[in-house]
Each structure stands twice: as C-alpha cells, then as structure tokens.
Amino acid sequence: KEYNRQREYLEKSVSSLKKQLAKESEKHRADNNKIMQENVALISEINSLRRELKLMKQSQKDKELVFITRREVNTSPETSARFNDNSRNRPPPFSAKESTRSNTSDTHEEASKMIEMQ
C-alpha cells in the first residue's frame, strides 16, 4: 500500500512538473519571438535612418557643389554662359522621397530574411 501511494504521488509530481515545463517553455518561446520581432523592427529602422543620412549627406554635398559652382560662375563671366548651357541639359536632382518609396519593399524583405535567419 505504501509503495502504491508513493508511486501515485511521484507520478502526479512528474505530471505536474511536465505541465509546468511545457508552460514555461511556451512562455519562453513567446518572449523570444517578441524580442526577435522588436529586433527586426529596430534593425529596419536603423537601416532606414542610415539610408536617410546617406541621402542627406549627398544632398548637402550637392548643395555645396552648387554653391561653389555659382560662386565661380559669378566671378568669371565667360564660364557663366557655359554653365547656363550645361544646366539646361541636366536631369532634375534625386529626391529623398523617391528613395524612401522604393526602399519600403526592401525593408520588408530584410525583415523577412532576418526572421528566417533567427
């Protein structure tokens, strides 16, 4: 009798511990998935900000170049005629908005790849 009672107690304990382990494992998995998704979102935001920074730096360089070119044109009358002729044939400058729109699908692809890798 005592043996059976102890055996039942131990079986209940094992069963209880298995259920507890399953619950804790599921909670741990859910926490990991949440953290992974947050990481993906943050990495995507970082990449987006890097692209934006790169575009801003390029835009600043372009503005400085235009400023320098205009200053040189204003000091030299013969080059101003040449600059005006060349500027008509140039395409319009690249805007940051165009780049952001085209990179949206890239960001989603990056996030999918990161999730798969993890």
Side-chain angles (χ1 to χ4, degrees):
K1 283 187 173 182
E2 182 67 21
Y3 171 77
N4 286 337
R5 190 179 64 75
Q6 286 182 353
R7 180 181 172 133
E8 286 177 13
Y9 172 77
L10 290 174
E11 286 175 352
K12 286 181 184 178
S13 294
V14 168
S15 174
S16 174
L17 289 172
K18 283 182 180 180
K19 287 178 185 177
Q20 189 178 359
L21 176 64
K23 285 181 185 178
E24 292 294 322
S25 295
E26 179 59 29
K27 182 181 175 188
H28 183 68
R29 189 188 65 75
D31 288 345
N32 278 348
N33 282 340
K34 180 181 175 186
I35 290 169
M36 189 177 1
Q37 288 176 347
E38 289 173 358
N39 284 346
V40 167
L42 290 171
I43 289 170
S44 296
E45 184 178 355
I46 288 169
N47 288 335
S48 174
L49 290 170
R50 283 179 177 160
R51 284 189 288 271
E52 186 179 341
L53 179 62
K54 184 178 178 182
L55 289 172
M56 292 175 97
K57 284 181 178 179
Q58 184 61 45
S59 175
Q60 182 64 29
K61 285 181 183 178
D62 291 347
K63 287 177 184 176
E64 289 172 1
L65 182 61
V66 168
F67 176 75
I68 290 170
T69 306
R70 285 185 180 165
R71 188 175 62 196
E72 289 174 356
V73 167
N74 290 338
T75 59
S76 174
E78 61 271 356
T79 57
S80 76
R82 193 172 359 130
F83 175 76
N84 288 334
D85 290 341
N86 289 341
S87 65
R88 290 183 194 141
N89 297 330
R90 290 186 188 150
F94 182 73
S95 73
K97 289 181 181 178
E98 292 172 1
S99 174
T100 305
R101 276 186 246 127
S102 67
N103 288 332
T104 305
S105 62
D106 292 343
T107 303
H108 293 297
E109 288 176 15
E110 278 181 25
S112 298
K113 288 178 184 177
M114 282 186 250
I115 290 172
E116 288 175 13
M117 288 173 60
Q118 291 181 355

